[in-house]
């Protein structure tokens, strides 16, 4: 039986949401607590406690207690007044554009302390995520468009007012075009995902979940069956990397292992998995810094953070230019992914036709179907224009969730997938 | 005095809530939840476990200022913390939603404490029995359980003073198969033995259904949805009949009192775990039947939806996952079993593959189903997994028969349903 592992966290969360009618809701959450985990005869025994005051830390080892006390003192409630002022300005701007605005904003500050024995390490995580949904209505028809932006903190968000107002104007123009959406095509189509879009969830679902260490250890992954094998062109590299400072970021994972990029697919070959200490032990490997917890009440599991397709070469325009008939897919919602076969189906929330190398009209909602291996083998081109996407939706796993995740992708062009109409 | 979930009892907690409410002017409400929890996550062999245990007291304060409601949620360790939470809620009121001031006066103490419950032993036994019973059946991707015991107490400046002991346990299984994943579970009272045999039976039947190649459902034949296939539709009907949905969709609200479904459909809020006789606004559960023999009698109501729809409360305010604002929902949306009369020729859909789509989209439920074409009462051909989106309202309006074989699905919003026979959906 080794020394116990301690995970302590202080988390302040402020969530503001605004419905289309303009009504706004504020939700604040303060979490302070710790878990002490002890290995016993093959089992792991985790005892968690909430912390209301410094004396509640007394059961912890002195070295851990000191760092935890510093974390307790360092975190202050999030100031929401400046955020509200900035949101009011955005709402007023949308109204002036003749559009209705729904929005969601979440600012998080989290300080964690991880310790094994008396060695304590601390990490500080902070971000603000904004989700904007703009609706225009003309002659009884409505069309909506959603965009997301992420910032280091509230100050960076409030400083971004001019850029966000420009974004609203762009959204208003696109939403107006979307009023004239044409019927979605059906059949095999070339798919283009633009950089930094919600469609980056594709690689999270198709490559990330099948390469989570616990899935791999249980033999339930279609990709793990191909470890070391080529499944895509050599320029295809998929990583989960919390060290970039783009999207979900941390320097230590929730077991105290230094964060590092997990190279899931490199040079087109399946190479690595996301590992916490338990999955690493089962696979005879070392943990690689991908243990994450929903809170101190939950044990760590191998989870994704910022999953990205690495950049290669070319611009959006160059990659679209080569498409005679295809679909530009900016937003996807997963419907199902079969971990053992790789078969998948996504709902295409936002798509535009591509004809003769030109992006054309929006299409009505439709479905994207295919298989992970076919899709990876069908990646024809990856651009150099990597950008991150960080939205409010989290990732659920077992009964642990949702956990914030983010994606990154440059422009990517994929053949061999099928689009079906949805009604 | 330090307050903990292990030492504070609910009727004493009501006194503390009253004391805190006396410290603030105007309409206000305090909801306090005490919870002792054990969670078990089985290792790949099913023989080792990660066991998490802890307890906490979490309070929610709602304070109304003019027409706006401020909400604050937080852990509490002292009676003063309750007052601080009320102040925080008051501070949030200016940014809060416009909500009806809830709930007429109602008082019901929790009474004496039940006997202490061992949360771990039966849960561990159930998981071990499942691991054994499912050995060699697909890939056991996840096997986990959770048990909790505690109480809830609600007090308000309007005179609500209600408390109730609670306890429950549930296990969940995820099996991977090359044709899709099966996710299912079982739920019961904490401390007692969980009956896992029906769950093992359902999962084995599901895997057997997925074996081998198959075709499409036979055109023109009715669909017999086994309980596991029907459960998301029943959960979807619960969503459709929540007061919040009815308040947002006037067409549904206008159907109240009308016989819009066939007589074979009776739909109610069935027994749930934890068993509750009070909702999370402290109101008693009443009028559990929402549809009786096809007639729409009521919606699930919390105070805000009831005020919007000018309908009586019926004890359906639920605070899920520590939400500050309760939503109107059923804890166990249930279809009452019937005699079950199946035609000899039918598409029998006996497996449902897990999807990411948790709730209805545009009033439709996404299902991935597999099964058998039955002719002359005999299974003739296999139906391979296929996607279908069924409109909730139209599907239940076309319901042909209801079976006697109800099962409970904690992994599908607590839905409880027998097999349902429906006409073949329109292409």
């Amino acid at each position: 039986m080794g020394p116990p592992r301690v995970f302590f966290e202080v988390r302040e969360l402020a969530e503001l949401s605004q419905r289309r009618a303009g009504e706004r809701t504020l939700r604040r959450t303060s979490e302070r607590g710790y878990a002490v985990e002890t290995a016993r005869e093959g089992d792991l025994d985790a005892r968690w406690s909430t912390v209301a005051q410094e004396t509640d830390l007394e059961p912890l080892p002195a070295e851990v207690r000191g760092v935890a006390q510093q974390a307790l003192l360092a975190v202050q409630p999030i100031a929401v007044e400046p955020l509200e002022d900035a949101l009011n300005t955005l709402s007023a701007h949308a109204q002036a554009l003749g559009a209705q605005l729904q929005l969601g904003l979440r600012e998080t500050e989290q300080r964690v302390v991880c310790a094994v024995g008396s060695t304590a390490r601390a990490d500080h995580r902070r971000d603000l995520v904004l989700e904007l949904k703009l609706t225009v209505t003309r002659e009884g028809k409505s069309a909506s468009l959603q965009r997301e932006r992420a910032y280091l903190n509230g100050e960076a968000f409030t400083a971004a007012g001019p850029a966000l107002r420009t974004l609203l104007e762009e959204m208003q123009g696109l939403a107006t075009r979307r009023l004239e959406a044409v019927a979605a095509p059906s059949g095999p189509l070339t798919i283009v995902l633009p950089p930094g879009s919600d469609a980056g969830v594709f690689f999270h679902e198709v490559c990330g979940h099948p390469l989570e260490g616990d899935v791999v250890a249980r033999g339930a992954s279609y990709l793990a069956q191909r470890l070391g094998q080529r499944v895509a062109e050599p320029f295809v590299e998929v990583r989960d990397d919390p060290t970039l400072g783009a999207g979900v970021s941390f320097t230590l994972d929730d077991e105290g292992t230094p964060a590092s990029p997990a190279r899931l697919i490199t040079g087109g070959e399946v190479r690595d998995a996301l590992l916490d200490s338990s999955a690493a032990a089962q696979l005879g490997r070392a943990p690689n810094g991908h243990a994450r917890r929903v809170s101190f009440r939950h044990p760590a599991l191998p989870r994704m953070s910022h999953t990205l397709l690495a950049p290669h070469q070319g611009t959006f325009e160059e990659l679209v230019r080569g498409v005679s008939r295809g679909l530009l897919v900016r937003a996807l919602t997963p419907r199902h992914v079969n971990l053992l076969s790789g078969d998948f189906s996504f709902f295409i929330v936002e798509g535009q036709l591509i004809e003769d190398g030109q992006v054309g009209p929006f299409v009505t909602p439709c479905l994207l179907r295919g298989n992970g291996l076919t899709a990876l083998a069908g990646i024809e081109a990856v651009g150099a224009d990597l950008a991150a996407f960080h939205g409010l939706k989290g990732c659920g796993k077992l009964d642990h969730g949702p956990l914030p995740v983010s994606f990154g992708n440059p422009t990517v062009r994929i053949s061999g997938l099928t689009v079906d109409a949805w009604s | 005095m330090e307050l903990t979930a292990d030492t504070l009892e609910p009727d004493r907690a009501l006194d503390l809530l009253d004391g805190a409410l006396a410290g603030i002017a105007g309409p206000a409400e305090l909801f306090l939840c005490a919870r002792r929890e054990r969670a078990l996550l089985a290792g790949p062999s099913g023989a080792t476990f990660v066991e998490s245990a802890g307890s906490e007291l979490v309070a929610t304060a709602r304070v109304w200022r003019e027409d706006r409601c401020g909400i604050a949620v937080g852990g509490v360790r002292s009676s003063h913390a309750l007052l601080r939470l009320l102040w925080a809620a008051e501070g949030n009121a200016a940014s809060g939603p416009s909500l009806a001031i809830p709930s007429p006066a109602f008082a019901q103490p929790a009474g004496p404490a039940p006997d202490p419950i061992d949360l771990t032993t039966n849960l561990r036994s159930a998981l071990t029995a499942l691991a054994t019973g499912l050995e060699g059946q697909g890939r056991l991707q996840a096997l986990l359980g959770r048990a909790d015991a505690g109480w809830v107490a609600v007090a308000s400046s309007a005179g609500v003073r209600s408390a109730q002991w609670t306890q429950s346990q549930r296990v969940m299984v995820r099996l991977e198969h090359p044709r899709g994943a099966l996710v299912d579970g079982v739920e019961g009272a904490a401390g007692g033995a969980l009956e896992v045999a029906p769950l093992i039976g359902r999962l084995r039947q599901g895997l057997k259904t997925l074996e081998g190649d198959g075709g499409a459902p036979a055109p023109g034949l009715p669909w017999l949805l086994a309980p596991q296939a029907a459960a998301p539709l029943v959960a979807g009907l619960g969503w459709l009949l929540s007061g919040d949905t009815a308040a947002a969709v006037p067409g549904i609200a206008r159907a109240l009192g009308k016989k819009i479904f066939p007589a074979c459909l009776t739909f109610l809020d069935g027994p749930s775990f934890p068993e509750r006789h009070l909702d999370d606004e402290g109101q008693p559960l009443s009028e559990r039947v929402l549809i009786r023999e096809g007639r729409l009698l009521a919606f699930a109501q919390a105070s805000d939806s009831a005020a919007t729809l000018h309908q009586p409360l019926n004890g359906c305010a639920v605070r899920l996952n520590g939400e500050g604002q309760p939503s109107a929902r059923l804890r166990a949306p249930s279809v009452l079993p019937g005699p079950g009369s199946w035609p000899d020729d039918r598409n029998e859909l006996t497996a449902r593959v897990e999807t990411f789509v948790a709730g209805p989209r545009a009033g439709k439920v996404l299902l991935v189903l597999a099964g058998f074409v039955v002719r002359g009462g005999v299974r003739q051909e296999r139906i391979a997994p296929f996607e279908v989106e069924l409109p909730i309202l139209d599907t239940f309006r076309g319901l042909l028969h209801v079976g006697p074989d109800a099962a409970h699905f904690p992994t599908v919003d607590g839905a409880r349903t027998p097999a349902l026979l429906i006409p073949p959906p329109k292409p």
Side-chain angles (χ1 to χ4, degrees), chain A residues 86-423:
Chain A
L87 295 180
N88 288 338
T89 307
L90 286 178
S91 291
H93 194 65
Q95 205 170 9
L97 292 169
Q100 289 177 303
L101 188 63
Q102 285 171 270
L103 53 86
L105 178 151
R106 181 184 65 217
E107 184 171 3
T108 311
E109 182 174 12
Q110 184 193 29
R111 286 179 185 266
V112 306
V113 179
C114 300
V116 178
S118 60
T119 307
R121 293 174 171 159
D123 196 15
H124 181 204
R125 305 157 185 178
R126 186 160 196 184
D127 62 31
L128 184 148
V129 181
L130 175 70
E131 193 173 270
L132 301 165
K133 185 175 181 184
L134 181 137
T135 303
V136 295
T137 304
R138 302 279 186 278
E139 296 165 2
K141 277 170 72 178
S142 290
S144 297
L145 209 73
Q146 187 167 307
R147 294 289 182 268
E148 294 76 10
R149 292 291 183 271
Y151 303 91
L152 289 176
N153 51 35
E155 294 79 46
F157 161 64
T158 51
L164 284 169
R165 289 195 289 278
T166 304
L167 173 66
L168 286 180
E169 288 156 21
E170 291 167 5
M171 289 173 71
Q172 193 256 5
L174 287 169
T176 304
R177 282 180 60 196
R178 204 177 186 188
L179 287 166
E180 308 303 325
V182 300
S186 286
L189 273 186
T190 298
I191 300 298
V192 176
L193 312 182
S197 66
D198 188 359
V201 71
F202 184 83
F203 295 98
H204 171 100
E205 299 292 352
V206 170
C207 301
H209 280 301
L211 289 172
E212 288 171 332
D214 54 341
V215 178
V216 173
R218 289 170 191 254
S221 163
Y222 81 99
L223 277 181
Q225 293 163 8
R226 287 164 179 80
L227 271 167
Q229 295 177 23
R230 262 283 294 280
V231 295
E233 295 291 341
F235 55 78
V236 174
E237 176 167 337
V238 180
R239 299 198 297 260
D240 191 82
D241 193 347
T243 68
L244 291 177
V248 170
S249 301
F250 44 86
T251 59
L252 296 173
D253 76 0
D254 290 342
E255 291 182 325
T257 304
S260 67
R263 297 178 191 283
L264 306 177
I265 295 175
T266 297
E269 286 183 10
V270 183
R271 284 280 180 82
D272 208 351
L274 300 154
L275 300 172
D276 65 348
S277 58
S278 170
Q282 286 161 30
L283 294 168
R285 307 266 307 275
N288 60 8
H290 290 269
R292 297 190 68 197
R293 303 171 196 259
V294 172
S295 80
F296 60 88
R297 298 176 190 85
H298 297 77
L301 289 172
R303 306 287 297 263
M304 281 171 273
S305 52
H306 183 66
T307 310
L308 66 102
L309 177 68
H312 181 50
Q313 63 185 28
T315 63
F316 174 80
E317 290 75 17
E318 286 165 351
L319 266 67
V320 168
R321 201 177 296 145
V323 179
S324 58
R325 183 166 165 78
L327 201 62
L328 175 68
V329 174
R330 190 177 294 276
L332 288 169
T333 300
R335 284 158 60 94
H336 64 84
V337 178
N338 183 330
L339 288 172
L340 265 175
S341 70
D343 290 341
F344 60 75
S345 150
F346 288 85
F347 188 78
I348 298 177
V349 182
E350 185 185 331
Q352 285 175 267
L353 275 180
I354 304 173
E355 287 178 307
D356 299 327
Q358 298 292 319
V359 177
F362 284 92
V363 298
T364 52
C366 48
L367 305 176
L368 181 68
R369 298 179 198 280
N371 175 275
L373 289 175
T374 313
L376 288 166
I379 296 177
E380 295 175 341
V382 174
D385 46 357
L386 176 65
F389 171 90
H390 194 169
L392 284 180
K393 283 175 283 188
C395 169
K397 177 170 177 171
L398 310 181
D399 61 349
H400 295 218
L403 190 68
V405 291
S406 55
F407 323 124
N409 68 279
T411 305
V412 53
R413 197 171 72 210
I414 311 172
S415 63
L417 303 182
T418 301
V419 174
D420 278 343
W422 182 82
S423 56

Side-chain angles (χ1 to χ4, degrees), chain B residues 86-378:
Chain B
L86 284 166
W87 292 336
E90 187 176 30
N92 292 339
S95 308
S98 173
L99 291 178
I101 297 173
S103 306
F106 181 77
Q108 183 158 342
D115 292 335
I117 297 168
D118 168 6
L119 293 176
T120 306
T121 307
N122 283 301
L123 197 58
R124 195 177 268 246
S125 300
L127 293 174
T128 305
L130 277 166
T132 306
L134 294 169
E135 205 169 346
Q137 306 282 318
R139 306 262 182 175
L140 187 59
Q141 170 55 26
L143 179 57
L144 59 153
R146 192 174 292 276
D148 58 70
W151 47 264
V152 292
V154 191
S156 79
S157 53
V160 172
R161 211 172 182 284
S162 307
Q164 182 179 3
W165 295 96
T166 63
Q167 41 102 344
S168 66
Q169 64 179 337
R170 60 147 69 174
V171 298
M172 188 195 113
V173 182
R174 182 183 170 109
L175 283 174
E176 301 293 338
H177 184 278
R179 291 191 172 85
L182 301 176
V183 175
D184 205 341
V186 64
E187 194 170 38
L194 272 173
E195 202 183 341
V196 298
L199 173 58
I200 293 172
R202 283 202 302 267
L203 288 163
R204 286 184 164 182
Q205 183 193 42
L207 289 170
K208 200 171 163 190
T209 304
L210 294 175
E211 282 168 10
D213 295 332
L221 294 187
W223 288 18
L224 176 60
L225 303 172
Q228 54 271 32
L233 275 170
V234 173
L237 186 59
W239 166 81
L240 195 70
L241 299 187
S242 85
D244 294 339
T245 308
V249 185
I252 294 170
R254 283 197 295 271
L256 194 64
K258 295 178 184 162
K259 190 171 182 305
I260 59 168
F261 299 103
C264 62
L265 180 63
T266 292
F267 181 73
L268 65 157
D269 194 4
S272 66
F273 296 102
E275 270 187 71
R276 297 289 294 267
H277 54 262
L278 298 169
D279 73 3
D280 288 344
E281 291 182 324
Q283 297 297 310
L285 270 64
S286 61
E287 191 45 83
R288 302 179 76 106
V289 178
L290 304 189
I291 300 168
R292 187 185 300 282
E293 293 175 358
R295 187 173 302 279
L296 178 59
L297 299 178
F299 298 110
Q301 300 288 9
S303 59
D304 195 54
S305 65
T308 306
L309 293 167
H310 307 291
Q311 294 291 317
L313 290 170
N314 52 9
C316 291
V318 177
R319 286 180 157 105
L320 275 184
N321 307 319
E323 285 167 1
Q325 168 61 16
S327 52
R329 58 181 293 154
L330 301 178
R331 289 184 185 274
S334 304
V335 169
L336 201 68
S341 172
W342 315 137
D344 287 345
D345 294 349
R346 58 187 185 257
N347 291 302
E348 195 169 282
L349 298 160
T350 48
R352 176 175 51 81
V353 168
E354 185 68 358
T355 72
F356 289 117
V357 184
R361 186 179 190 117
K364 295 176 185 176
V365 171
L366 169 68
L367 297 168
V368 179
L369 302 174
F372 301 90
V373 178
V374 175
R375 294 184 195 275
V378 179

